């Protein structure tokens, strides 16, 4: 029974993340969703390990108003690109990210520390009464964390 419940939660979380991607692309200039292949290209261009391909979901290029990201765009804006790990909720958060509950991997935190200002967690609230997003560096996030616990995910 737990397996079925876990599947339902995963499907719901994936749907919410997709809605958050759509929200950012539609409402904020400079956000672009990148698939796994493009993520790997970006990591190669930045001379970073491919093990971080799942440590970010989108890229943000400040002041870039194009509608799509190409290999040329990535090369041209290499120094401006910020890699973004998305966290999304439908919870009412009038002071986003205050009250945000989310999971993050050690790899995401390691990647964020490695990249510094070139990495952000982006907290997207999709509640119709408080739609918003906030981007935080690892340092900014750690300064706001009230509680953090380790949870082991084990496959046998």
């Amino acid at each position: 029974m737990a397996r079925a419940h876990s599947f339902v939660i995963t499907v719901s979380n994936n749907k919410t993340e997709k809605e958050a991607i759509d929200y950012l692309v539609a409402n904020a200039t400079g956000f672009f969703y990148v698939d796994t292949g493009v993520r790997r290209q970006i990591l190669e261009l930045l001379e970073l390990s491919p093990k971080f391909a799942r440590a970010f979901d989108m890229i943000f290029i400040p002041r870039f108003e194009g509608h799509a990201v190409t290999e040329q765009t990535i090369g041209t804006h290499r120094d401006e690109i910020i890699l973004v790990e998305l966290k999304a909720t439908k919870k009412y958060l009038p002071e986003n990210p205050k009250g945000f509950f989310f999971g993050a991997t050690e790899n995401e935190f390691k990647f964020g520390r490695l990249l510094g200002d070139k990495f952000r967690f982006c907290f997207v609230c999709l509640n119709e009464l408080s739609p918003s997003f906030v981007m935080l560096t690892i340092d900014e996030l750690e300064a706001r964390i009230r509680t953090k616990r380790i949870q082991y995910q084990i496959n046998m």
Side-chain angles (χ1 to χ4, degrees):
M1 200 59 155
R3 185 180 204 122
H5 178 69
S6 179
F7 176 76
V8 169
I9 289 172
T10 299
V11 169
S12 176
N13 288 345
N14 289 345
K15 183 179 177 211
T16 302
E17 183 176 283
K18 172 71 170 110
E19 289 175 37
I21 290 166
D22 293 343
Y23 172 82
L24 289 172
V25 169
N27 294 292
T29 300
F31 281 97
F32 300 93
Y33 172 75
V34 287
D35 64 22
T36 304
V38 175
R39 285 196 297 265
R40 290 182 198 278
Q41 287 176 351
I42 291 169
L43 291 171
E44 186 176 314
L45 180 70
L46 299 175
E47 299 176 2
L48 296 167
S49 170
K51 74 178 182 180
F52 293 118
R54 297 189 47 90
F56 68 104
D57 301 303
M58 301 183 77
I59 62 171
F60 176 67
I61 306 173
R63 298 177 304 280
F64 180 71
E65 298 189 23
H67 296 289
V69 170
T70 64
E71 195 171 320
Q72 180 181 353
T73 305
I74 292 167
T76 302
H77 296 276
R78 174 189 173 165
D79 295 335
E80 299 171 66
I81 292 174
I82 295 171
L83 306 181
V84 178
E85 173 57 24
L86 209 53
K87 302 299 178 185
T89 188
K90 292 187 177 183
K91 181 180 175 182
Y92 175 63
L93 296 177
E95 297 178 52
N96 184 18
K98 186 177 180 184
F100 216 108
F101 177 79
F102 68 100
T105 66
E106 183 178 349
N107 204 37
E108 290 166 353
F109 274 87
K110 185 184 291 184
F111 190 52
R113 284 188 199 96
L114 177 69
L115 289 176
D117 286 342
K118 304 302 278 173
F119 177 87
R120 301 283 194 289
F121 277 100
C122 183
F123 298 92
V124 180
C125 176
L126 297 169
N127 186 284
E128 62 187 31
L129 299 176
S130 61
S132 61
F133 73 93
V134 175
M135 291 203 303
L136 300 173
T137 64
I138 288 292
D139 289 341
E140 292 167 333
L141 174 60
E142 288 183 335
R144 292 178 179 225
I145 292 174
R146 290 185 317 157
T147 58
K148 181 164 97 173
R149 65 183 169 87
I150 296 172
Q151 177 179 344
Y152 295 96
Q153 301 290 321
I154 300 167
N155 290 321
M156 295 181 67

